Amino acid sequence: MIILNELDDRQVVHSSIEYLQDKAGTLNLEDVVNGPAKNGFTSPGEDYFSLGFTNSAYWYRFTINNITPNAMQRLLVLRTAWIDSVDIYLPSADGSYQHKLMGDWLPFQERDFNHHHFINSLVIPPGESVYLMRISTPKPFMTPLFLWEPQAFNSVEWSSAAYYGTIFGSILLVPLYHQ
């Protein structure tokens, strides 16, 4: 379980997930929420794990406990840009789920955020909320997930962009300097 408070700018989600392998890729939301697959989730037992190359779909389940009295906004960031299909199921107050679809096979302009990572904005109510994801790809299956406070994420991204801009700018200047 992920404990959400106002002090943490970034939290690792993948160390708190439970996962379910769907070898046939036929399970749906009802199967994993109320059906027999509900009890098939296991913990990877590691902070970071890779499932290698697989034709299976995987369901992830994680619980966020917002211990503050107010709803909090966070960004759910999947830092693997080559995942083909990512279905995110966001819990609603009435017990239903809102579905969002992402993946590298969708047109880039259909993303909620114009970013190379898959990012989803969450408004997390007080108390416990269960989130689900269905992920499938025949490519290397690594799924590092993070929960970011939006301003902290933007700050880190700008710093990273400045760093890489400096490095690549320097590399481009070397041949010009030696002419």
Side-chain angles (χ1 to χ4, degrees):
M1 178 180 307
I2 300 157
I3 305 297
L4 185 64
N5 59 52
E6 295 170 344
L7 302 176
D8 295 322
D9 288 343
R10 183 192 93 146
Q11 293 173 290
V12 177
V13 175
H14 55 264
S15 62
S16 299
I17 66 163
E18 298 174 296
Y19 73 95
L20 172 70
Q21 183 177 10
D22 179 7
K23 289 183 180 181
T26 58
L27 295 176
N28 61 34
L29 180 64
E30 184 63 26
D31 294 332
V32 299
V33 172
N34 296 317
K38 175 182 181 177
N39 297 321
F41 284 84
T42 59
S43 173
E46 303 173 15
D47 280 349
Y48 182 79
F49 69 101
S50 170
L51 299 168
F53 291 89
T54 178
N55 290 322
S56 298
Y58 282 86
W59 285 85
Y60 288 1
R61 178 173 66 190
F62 57 94
T63 303
I64 300 175
N65 184 6
N66 179 357
I67 62 172
T68 72
N70 303 313
M72 297 183 71
Q73 182 179 7
R74 289 293 184 263
L75 300 176
L76 180 64
V77 180
L78 173 58
R79 298 188 64 97
T80 305
W82 61 77
I83 301 292
D84 286 351
S85 177
V86 180
D87 294 271
I88 300 176
Y89 297 93
L90 309 171
S92 299
D94 65 0
S96 66
Y97 282 88
Q98 176 190 6
H99 176 241
K100 293 216 172 178
L101 179 63
M102 297 186 295
D104 73 352
W105 58 271
L106 289 172
F108 191 82
Q109 63 271 16
E110 289 187 23
R111 294 184 182 195
D112 288 345
F113 290 84
N114 187 13
H115 198 277
H116 60 281
H117 296 310
F118 299 120
I119 302 174
N120 204 300
S121 182
L122 307 179
V123 177
I124 304 166
E128 291 185 12
S129 301
V130 177
Y131 294 81
L132 293 157
M133 296 176 73
R134 182 189 182 276
I135 302 174
S136 64
T137 189
K139 300 167 190 156
F141 208 110
M142 297 181 302
T143 50
L145 283 167
F146 298 92
L147 202 58
W148 280 91
E149 190 279 324
Q151 290 178 339
F153 178 78
N154 288 334
S155 176
V156 167
E157 287 297 302
W158 276 105
S159 296
S160 178
Y163 171 78
Y164 285 112
T166 302
I167 296 295
F168 289 117
S170 300
I171 291 170
L172 291 173
L173 286 176
V174 169
L176 295 175
Y177 178 75
H178 289 290
Q179 287 186 1

